[in-house]
C-alpha cells in the first residue's frame, strides 16, 4: 500500500510544539544569568574613610570580576544600631537576600533577628562581639571575635616590660569594648604582671585637657581599646606619647587606618598595631591590593576593605556554583574547610565563625608608604 | 524569460502599509529629533550649571584671601594681644599655631575650645605634614582635609613671621553655609570634594555621599551616567581643580530633564496618536467612499464577466468625480459589452448560417491540421458524414502526392509569415475518386496572437479544372497557329523583301548612273516608287500582323503635341484648299512637351485627317487637341462629309474593310482605320467614331501623355550632302555575305558605284556563314555585311564565331559586322546587336543608310558637300516652279522626298535636301527655307499636281 503524504497542517501541528520546546530549552540554556543583589551595610557619610572605602572596595571587586552575578546595593545604617534593623529589613523587602556588613558589633547584635531564619544571609566583616559567636544563624563572620582578639593582644602585652598599663576604653562602642576589655584583662591577669588602669571615655569626643591629668600619671604602656577607625585615636596616642615618650602604645585591629596613622605624629614610632592581617610589606597580596585600590581611587583604604573583598569573593564563588539562596550559600560556605581568597584563607567553623592569628605591626611608617 | 510573478495585495492593505511605514518613519524621526534635542539641551544645561562651580571657586578664593590677610594681621600683633577674642574678631581662623622646627605645636591660639590638638601635638604626619614640609616662601593654602582638631573640613595656611612658623587652620564651616545657601538658591546641590574623592562639604546635608568616584564621573556628563541618592538620580558635574585642591561637584537632578523628556515624549505620543487617529479616520472614510465603491464595481464586473445579469444599479451618488466617472464609464461599458455580445451572437449566428449553408465547403482546421468543424457542403464534396470528417486530419483526405502542398503554408502561418493563402490541392473522395479543390484558408489568432484555427473555404474545382485543361489545349493550339502565322509573316516578309531588295537596290544603283537618259531615269523612278509603294503596303500589312501577334511596341519620347497638330494641319492644308474645304485646328491647354510615341500619333492623325478630307466634298474639317487637366489629351477629327451608315460603324475599324462610300468613291486598302485604332489602343486610348450620314463624322480618342520638362533640343551639327567615299583612304576590305546572289549583287554594285578611284573598298562575297568565317580567317575584312538568314551556317552563328575568334586573337582585325535582315520584326534588331553585330540594316537597304554605317563604324570618310549651311532662304521659287525644277532630280530622291513630305518628317526632308546640295542652288534654297520653317503646306503644294495626275 503506498505511503500517503501527511497533510501540511498535521505536520505544522506536530512541528510547532517541538519548535517551541526547542526554543524554550535554548532560551533556558542561553539566557543571561540574573544578577544577585548584595547589600553592603556601611556608613555612607561617615565623614571619614569608613564607608567610602567599603563601597570603593565593592566597586573595585565588580570591576575586577566583570562576570560576577553580584550587584552591590548600598545599605546605609550609619552604624546606628537603632537604624540598622529597619534599614536591613527595607533592603530585604526590596529583594536583597545577601549582605556584607562593616558595621560595629552593636549594630550587628541589633540585626541578629533578621538573620536567624534564613531569609537573608550576611557576612560580617567587623563585628567581633562574642554575642555573635557560636550562633547557628545566617550571620557568618570572617573576623575572629573579640575574645580571640583580646587574648592575642593580652599575650602581646604580657611580653612587654613595665607595670602600669593604661587602658582607654571607648565608651561609644561598648558592645565591643566591654567584652573586649573583659577578655583582655582576664587574659592579661593570667599572663603577666601588669597593673591595668581602665579609663572609659568617648573617643570621638576626646579633649586633651580632660585626659591630660590622667595620662600624666606614670604608666608604662597605653592600650587604646577603640575601633571604628576614629582619627581621635591618633590624637590620644600623641597626647600619651607627649607625656610618656618611651612608652609603647597598643591599638586594636580597628585602628588600622591611614587616617589614624597620619595623626600619630611622632608617636608612630611607639605604636604597636594589632591586626588580623600581616603587614603589607610581608604579604604581597595585601600590598598589591592596597596599591590597586590607591591607583583606582586615589587614597589608601583602611584594613576592613580586606574583609569586604574577601566576603564578596566568598559570595561570588557560591553564586558561580549556582547557589542563590541564603541557605544554599551558607551550606556551601560552611562545607568548604578553608576558602582561598585573593587576600588570604578563610576557614569557617560550624557556626560560621572564624579563628585566626593576629599580627602586631610596629614599623607603621612603612605601612603608609 | 519567465514572467516575473508579482505579489498582489489589496489597495487597502498596501495603503495601510504605506501609512504605517510613514508613521513609523515619522515616529523614528520625531523620537530621534527629541532624543538629539534633549541631548543637546541637556548638554547645554549641564554646561551652564558648570558655571556655578566657578562662582563657588571665586567666593572661596576671595574668602581665603581675606583670611590670609587676617592671619597676617594677627601674627603681626604682639603676643599679649593675641587673645581668642582678637582671633575670632579677625576672621574665620579658628586655630593658629606657632610650630617648632619639628612641626610640633609650640604655641596655640584658639578662637574656640574643643580642639583635639594640644601644645606638643606633632603635625608632621599625613597630608598636613607633607604640606608643611614642601611649602615655599610664598604662603599658599593647603588642600582641603579633615582637621586634626575635630575632623571637620579644614584648610591650613602656613606663614613665617619673625623667624617663626605659624600655621593657621581655617574652619570651612562658613563655606559649608555658603554652599548650603548657594545650593538652595541654585536648586542644585554643590559639594566640595577632596582630590581623593572624599566629600568635604555638601550643600545638601540630606545627600549622604561620603565620596565621589572622580575617575568614574570625570568624563563628559550625561543623563545616562547618574548617581542615585535620596530616591532620585543625579548627574554629577565635576569641575576642574579649584583653589583648595578640591573639585566642586554639582549634582544635577535628572528630574527636570526627565520631566522635559516626558513632556516631549508625551507630546510626540500625542502627535502620533493623533496621526494614527487621523489615519484611521481617513482610511475609514476612504474605505467607505472609494474602496467599497471600487469593490462593488469589481463585484459587478465579475457578474459581467460571468455573464450574470447585473444587480440593481446603484444610483450615481458617488462623492468623488473620479468614482462617479468610473461608475458612469462602467455603466456605459456594460451596455457596450451587452451590445457587443448581442452583436457577437448575431454575428455568430450569421457565421453559423453562412458556414452551414455556404455553397462551398467550409471547415475549421486546427494548427495540427485536424478538422474541427465542417459544413454540409464539405460532406458532399468528400462523401464522408459530418461526424466522420470532424476529427480527421486534412492529410487523411489529401492525395498522398499532394501532401507537401499545404503544410508549408500552415508552418508559415503559425510562424506569423502570412495568415491567408489560397492554394489548389487534390483530395480523395470517400469513393476513391480524386477531387481537385481550391482552398482559401485564413488563420484565426487569439488575443495574444497565437494561432487558434484556420477557417478554410473548400471549392470543388474538378469541373473547372477540366474546362481549364480544355481551354489550355485550345490556347496552345491558337498560340501554335499564331506562331505559325508569325513564321509565315516572317517568311513572307523575307521572301517579298528579298526580291524588293534587288529591285530597289539595283534601281538605286542605276539611278546613280550618270549616263542614263531621262526616259530611263523616269522608268527607273517608276520602278523605285512602285517598289517603295509595295514596301509601304507590305509594312502596313506587317504592322497589322504584328499588332495581332502582339509584337508591335510603343515608343516613348518627348515631343511637342501642339507642333505635331500644326504639322498635320500643314500637311493637309493644300489638299483641303484644293478641294475647297476649310481645314482648321483647335488647340486648347496642351503641355509644351509630353512623353509618347509621336510617330504613331502622327500616323493616326494623318490617317484620320486624310480620310476626313477624302470623304468630305464641302464644308470643314476640324482637327482638335485639348488638354483637360492631368495627363489626358483628347484628340478629335470632325468633318462635314458624307458620314457613315450606322450599320457600317461597327465594321469600319476592321482590317481590309471599308464603308460603302469609301469603296464607291475613294478606293484604298482598308487598313488605315484598323491601324489607327490599333495604334491608339497601343498608346492606351480608344478610337471611337460618331457619324450621321449626310452630315459628317467625328473620330475621337484620348491618350495619356504625361508632361515632361521642357528641354531645348541640341542643335544638329550641320552635315553636308553625301557625294560618295573620299579617295585616298586606307583600303577597307568589305565582305558581303548573303546566300542569294540577287541580294549580294545590288549591294556590291552599290558599293562599287560609291568606290572612288583609286578604290578604298575591296569587296568580296560569301554565300553562307561558314564561307564568311573562312574568308574572315584569311582575309580579315574590316566590314562584313552579314545576312542573318543563310543556309549551312546562319549569319548569327557566323557572327558569333567571328567575334569569338576576334576575342581569341587580339591582334586580329576588329571587323565591323552589319546585320542585314529582311525580317519584319523590330525585336530582332536588339537580338542581333546582342550577339555581337555592330550595326543593323533592314532589307531593302537604303544607300545612304549603308554609307552612314560605313562612316560611323568603319571610319570611312564620306565625301560631303562641305559648304556651310545656308541662311534661312528667302523664297525665290513658287511651288509650281519648284515642282518643275524638282523633276530634274533623281526620281528615287524625289520619291523619298515625297514620302517624307507625306509623313511630315522634316528631319528626313532636311537630310534629303542635303543629298542634292549644289545641283540647283535656287531650288535647294527654296526647299531649305520651307524645311527651316516647317512649311509643310508649300511642300504639299509641290506635289499637288503630281497627286492630282496620279489620282486621275
Amino acid at each position: 500500500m503506498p505511503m500517503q503524504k501527511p497533510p501540511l497542517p498535521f505536520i505544522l501541528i506536530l512541528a510547532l510544539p517541538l519548535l517551541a520546546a526547542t526554543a524554550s530549552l535554548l532560551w533556558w540554556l542561553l539566557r543571561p544569568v540574573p544578577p544577585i543583589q548584595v547589600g553592603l551595610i556601611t556608613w555612607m557619610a561617615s565623614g571619614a574613610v569608613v564607608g567610602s572605602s567599603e563601597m570603593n572596595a565593592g566597586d573595585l571587586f565588580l570591576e575586577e570580576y566583570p562576570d560576577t552575578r553580584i550587584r552591590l546595593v548600598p545599605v546605609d545604617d550609619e552604624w546606628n544600631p537603632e537604624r540598622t534593623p529597619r534599614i536591613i529589613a527595607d533592603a530585604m523587602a526590596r529583594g536583597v537576600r545577601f549582605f556584607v556588613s562593616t558595621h560595629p558589633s552593636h549594630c550587628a547584635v541589633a540585626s541578629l533577628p533578621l538573620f536567624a531564619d534564613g531569609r537573608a544571609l550576611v557576612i560580617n566583616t567587623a563585628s567581633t562581639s562574642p554575642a555573635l559567636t557560636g550562633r547557628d544563624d545566617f550571620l557568618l563572620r570572617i573576623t575572629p571575635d573579640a575574645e580571640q582578639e583580646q587574648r592575642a593582644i593580652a599575650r602581646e602585652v604580657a611580653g612587654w616590660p613595665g607595670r602600669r598599663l593604661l587602658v582607654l576604653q571607648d565608651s561609644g562602642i561598648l558592645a565591643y569594648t566591654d567584652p573586649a576589655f573583659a577578655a583582655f584583662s582576664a587574659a592579661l591577669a593570667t599572663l603577666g604582671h601588669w597593673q591595668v588602669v581602665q579609663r572609659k571615655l568617648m573617643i570621638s569626643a576626646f579633649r586633651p585637657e580632660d585626659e591630660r591629668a590622667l595620662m600624666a600619671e606614670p604608666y608604662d604602656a597605653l592600650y587604646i581599646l577603640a575601633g571604628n577607625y576614629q582619627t581621635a585615636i591618633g590624637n590620644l596616642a600623641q597626647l600619651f606619647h607627649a607625656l610618656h615618650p618611651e612608652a609603647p602604645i597598643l591599638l586594636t585591629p580597628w585602628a588600622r587606618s591611614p587616617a589614624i596613622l597620619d595623626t600619630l605624629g611622632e608617636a608612630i614610632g611607639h605604636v604597636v598595631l594589632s591586626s588580623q592581617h600581616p603587614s603589607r610589606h610581608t604579604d604581597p597580596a595585601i600590598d598589591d591590593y592596597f596599591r590597586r585600590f590607591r591607583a583606582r581611587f586615589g587614597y589608601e583604604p583602611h584594613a576592613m576593605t580586606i574583609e569586604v573583598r574577601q566576603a564578596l569573593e566568598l559570595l561570588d564563588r557560591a553564586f558561580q556554583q549556582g547557589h542563590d539562596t541564603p541557605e544554599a550559600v551558607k551550606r556551601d560556605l560552611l562545607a568548604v574547610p578553608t576558602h582561598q581568597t585573593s587576600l588570604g584563607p578563610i576557614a569557617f567553623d560550624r557556626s560560621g565563625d572564624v579563628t585566626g592569628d593576629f599580627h602586631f605591626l610596629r614599623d607603621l611608617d612603612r605601612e603608609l608608604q | 524569460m519567465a514572467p516575473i510573478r508579482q505579489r498582489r495585495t489589496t489597495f487597502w492593505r498596501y495603503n495601510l502599509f504605506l501609512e504605517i511605514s510613514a508613521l513609523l518613519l515619522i515616529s523614528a524621526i520625531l523620537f530621534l529629533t527629541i532624543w538629539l534635542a534633549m541631548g543637546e539641551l541637556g548638554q547645554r544645561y549641564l554646561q551652564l550649571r558648570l558655571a556655578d562651580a566657578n562662582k563657588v571657586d571665586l567666593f572661596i578664593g576671595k574668602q581665603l584671601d581675606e583670611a590670609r590677610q587676617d592671619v597676617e594681621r594677627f601674627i603681626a600683633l604682639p603676643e599679649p594681644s593675641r587673645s581668642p577674642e582678637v582671633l575670632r574678631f579677625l576672621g574665620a581662623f579658628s586655630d593658629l599655631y606657632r610650630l617648632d622646627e619639628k612641626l610640633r605645636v609650640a604655641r596655640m591660639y584658639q578662637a574656640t575650645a574643643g580642639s583635639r590638638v594640644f601644645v606638643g601635638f606633632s603635625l608632621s604626619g599625613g597630608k598636613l605634614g607633607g604640606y608643611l614640609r614642601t611649602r615655599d616662601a610664598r604662603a599658599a593654602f593647603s588642600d582641603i582635609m579633615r582637621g586634626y582638631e575635630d575632623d571637620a573640613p579644614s584648610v591650613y595656611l602656613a606663614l613665617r613671621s619673625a623667624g617663626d612658623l605659624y600655621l593657621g587652620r581655617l574652619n570651612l564651616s562658613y563655606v559649608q553655609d555658603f554652599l548650603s545657601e548657594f545650593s538652595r538658591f541654585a536648586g542644585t546641590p554643590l559639594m566640595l570634594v577632596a582630590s581623593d574623592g572624599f566629600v568635604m562639604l555638601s550643600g545638601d546635608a540630606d545627600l549622604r555621599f561620603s565620596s565621589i568616584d572622580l575617575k568614574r564621573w570625570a568624563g563628559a556628563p550625561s543623563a545616562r551616567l547618574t548617581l542615585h541618592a535620596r530616591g532620585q538620580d543625579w548627574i554629577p558635574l565635576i569641575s576642574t581643580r579649584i583653589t583648595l585642591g578640591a573639585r566642586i561637584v554639582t549634582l544635577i537632578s535628572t528630574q527636570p530633564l526627565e520631566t522635559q523628556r516626558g513632556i516631549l515624549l508625551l507630546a510626540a505620543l500625542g502627535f502620533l496618536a493623533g496621526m494614527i487617529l487621523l489615519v484611521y479616520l481617513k482610511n475609514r472614510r476612504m474605505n467607505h467612499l472609494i474602496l467599497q465603491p471600487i469593490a462593488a464595481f469589481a463585484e459587478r464586473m465579475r457578474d459581467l464577466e460571468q455573464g450574470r445579469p447585473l444587480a440593481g444599479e446603484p444610483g450615481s451618488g458617488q462623492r468623488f468625480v473620479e468614482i462617479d466617472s468610473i461608475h458612469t464609464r462602467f455603466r456605459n461599458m456594460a451596455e457596450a459589452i451587452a451590445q457587443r455580445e448581442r452583436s457577437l451572437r448575431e454575428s455568430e449566428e450569421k457565421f453559423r448560417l453562412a458556414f452551414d449553408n455556404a455553397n462551398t465547403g467550409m471547415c475549421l482546421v486546427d494548427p495540427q491540421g485536424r478538422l474541427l468543424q465542417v459544413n454540409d457542403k464539405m460532406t458532399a464534396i468528400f462523401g464522408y458524414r459530418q461526424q466522420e470528417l470532424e476529427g480527421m486530419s486534412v492529410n487523411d483526405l489529401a492525395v498522398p502526392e499532394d501532401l507537401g502542398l499545404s503544410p508549408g503554408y500552415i508552418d508559415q502561418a503559425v510562424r506569423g509569415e502570412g495568415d491567408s493563402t489560397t492554394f489548389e490541392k487534390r483530395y480523395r473522395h470517400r469513393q476513391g475518386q480524386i477531387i481537385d479543390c481550391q482552398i482559401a484558408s485564413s488563420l484565426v489568432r487569439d488575443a495574444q496572437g497565437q494561432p487558434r484555427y484556420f477557417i478554410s473555404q473548400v471549392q470543388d474545382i474538378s469541373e473547372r479544372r477540366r474546362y481549364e485543361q480544355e481551354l489550355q489545349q485550345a490556347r496552345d493550339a491558337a498560340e501554335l497557329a499564331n506562331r505559325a502565322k508569325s513564321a509565315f509573316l516572317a517568311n513572307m516578309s523575307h521572301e517579298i523583301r528579298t526580291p524588293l531588295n534587288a529591285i530597289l537596290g539595283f534601281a538605286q544603283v542605276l539611278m546613280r548612273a550618270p549616263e542614263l537618259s531621262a526616259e530611263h531615269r523616269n522608268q527607273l523612278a517608276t520602278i523605285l516608287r512602285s517598289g517603295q509603294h509595295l514596301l509601304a503596303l507590305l509594312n502596313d500589312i506587317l504592322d497589322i500582323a504584328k499588332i495581332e501577334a502582339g509584337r508591335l511596341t510603343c515608343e516613348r519620347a518627348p515631343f511637342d503635341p501642339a507642333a505635331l497638330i500644326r504639322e498635320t494641319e500643314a500637311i493637309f492644308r493644300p489638299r483641303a484648299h484644293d478641294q475647297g474645304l476649310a481645314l482648321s485646328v483647335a488647340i486648347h491647354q496642351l503641355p509644351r512637351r509630353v512623353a509618347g510615341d509621336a510617330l504613331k500619333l502622327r500616323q493616326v492623325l494623318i490617317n484620320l485627317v486624310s480620310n476626313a478630307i477624302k470623304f468630305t466634298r464641302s464644308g470643314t474639317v476640324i482637327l482638335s487637341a485639348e488638354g483637360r487637366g492631368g495627363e489626358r489629351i483628347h484628340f478629335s477629327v470632325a468633318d462635314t462629309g458624307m458620314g457613315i451608315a450606322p450599320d457600317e460603324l461597327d465594321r469600319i475599324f476592321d482590317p481590309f474593310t471599308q464603308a460603302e462610300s469609301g469603296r464607291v468613291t475613294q478606293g484604298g486598302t482598308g487598313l488605315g482605320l484598323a491601324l489607327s485604332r490599333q495604334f491608339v489602343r497601343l498608346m492606351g486610348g480608344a478610337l471611337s467614331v460618331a457619324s450621321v450620314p449626310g452630315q459628317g463624322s467625328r473620330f475621337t480618342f484620348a491618350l495619356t501623355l504625361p508632361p515632361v520638362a521642357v528641354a531645348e533640343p541640341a542643335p544638329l551639327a550641320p552635315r553636308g550632302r553625301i557625294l560618295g567615299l573620299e579617295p585616298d583612304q586606307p583600303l577597307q576590305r568589305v565582305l558581303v555575305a548573303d546566300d542569294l546572289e540577287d541580294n549580294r549583287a545590288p549591294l556590291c554594285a552599290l558599293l562599287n558605284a560609291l568606290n572612288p578611284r583609286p578604290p578604298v573598298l575591296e569587296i568580296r562575297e560569301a554565300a553562307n556563314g561558314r564561307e564568311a568565317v573562312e574568308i574572315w580567317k584569311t582575309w580579315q575584312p574590316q566590314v562584313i555585311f552579314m545576312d542573318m538568314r543563310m543556309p549551312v551556317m546562319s549569319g548569327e552563328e557566323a557572327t558569333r564565331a567571328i567575334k569569338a575568334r576576334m576575342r581569341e586573337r587580339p591582334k586580329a582585325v576588329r571587323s565591323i559586322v552589319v546585320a542585314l535582315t529582311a525580317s519584319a520584326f523590330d525585336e530582332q534588331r536588339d537580338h542581333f546587336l546582342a550577339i555581337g553585330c555592330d550595326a543593323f540594316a533592314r532589307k531593302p537597304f537604303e544607300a545612304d543608310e549603308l554609307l552612314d554605317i560605313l562612316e560611323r563604324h568603319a571610319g570611312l570618310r564620306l565625301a560631303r558637300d562641305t559648304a556651310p549651311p545656308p541662311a534661312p532662304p528667302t523664297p525665290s521659287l513658287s511651288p509650281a516652279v519648284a515642282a518643275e525644277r524638282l523633276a530634274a532630280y533623281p526620281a528615287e530622291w524625289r520619291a523619298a522626298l515625297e514620302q517624307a513630305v507625306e509623313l511630315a518628317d522634316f528631319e528626313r526632308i532636311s537630310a534629303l535636301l542635303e543629298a542634292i546640295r549644289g545641283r540647283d542652288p535656287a531650288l535647294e534654297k527654296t526647299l531649305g527655307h520651307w524645311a527651316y520653317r516647317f512649311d509643310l503646306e508649300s511642300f504639299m503644294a509641290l506635289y499637288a499636281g503630281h497627286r492630282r495626275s496620279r489620282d486621275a
Side-chain angles (χ1 to χ4, degrees), chain A residues 44 47 52 231 238 295-296, chain B residues 122 146 151 208 210 213 215:
Chain A
M44 298 301 296
S52 298
T231 53
Q238 278 215 48
R296 171 64 181 84
Chain B
S122 172
R146 295 206 172 269
D151 277 341
R208 306 183 62 78
S210 60
D213 187 348
K215 285 191 177 177

Side-chain angles (χ1 to χ4, degrees), chain A residues 157 162-167 181 184-185 188-189 192-198 217-221:
Chain A
V157 173
R163 290 183 61 251
R164 280 175 60 88
L165 173 66
L166 175 61
V167 177
F181 179 75
F184 173 77
S185 56
L188 189 63
H193 50 278
W194 287 95
Q195 177 190 349
V196 174
V197 179
Q198 180 193 16
E217 295 175 10
Y219 295 109
D220 296 313

Side-chain angles (χ1 to χ4, degrees), chain A residues 13-29:
Chain A
I13 288 170
L14 284 181
L16 283 177
L18 191 62
L19 197 65
T22 306
S24 302
L25 182 63
L26 284 174
W27 175 82
W28 179 258
L29 293 174

Side-chain angles (χ1 to χ4, degrees), chain B residues 149-221:
Chain B
E149 294 81 4
D150 49 12
D151 277 341
S154 308
V155 290
Y156 292 87
L157 175 64
L159 290 171
R160 284 196 177 276
S161 176
D164 293 326
L165 176 62
Y166 291 89
L167 178 68
R169 178 238 181 177
L170 185 64
N171 191 324
L172 294 179
S173 59
Y174 66 95
V175 178
Q176 172 68 61
D177 297 339
F178 171 75
L179 278 181
S180 299
E181 289 297 322
F182 193 92
S183 297
R184 193 161 49 250
F185 174 75
T188 54
L190 273 73
M191 295 187 295
L192 206 62
V193 179
S195 58
D196 51 13
F198 286 99
V199 177
M200 293 300 182
L201 299 171
S202 176
D204 188 340
D206 294 337
L207 286 174
R208 306 183 62 78
F209 289 112
S210 60
S211 65
I212 297 291
D213 187 348
L214 293 178
K215 285 191 177 177
R216 174 179 293 181
W217 308 111

Side-chain angles (χ1 to χ4, degrees), chain B residues 11 15 47 159 283 296 324 388 428 441 510 526 553 582 628 721 728 731 747 760 789 806 857 867 890 895 943 946:
Chain B
F11 174 77
N15 184 54
Q47 294 297 329
L159 290 171
N283 283 341
D324 189 64
E388 292 174 326
R428 194 173 292 281
S441 189
L510 291 175
T526 302
T553 56
R628 296 177 182 175
R721 179 172 55 90
D728 301 328
L731 185 63
L747 181 55
V760 297
R789 186 170 176 174
M806 285 168 61
H857 293 284
Y943 292 101
H946 171 67

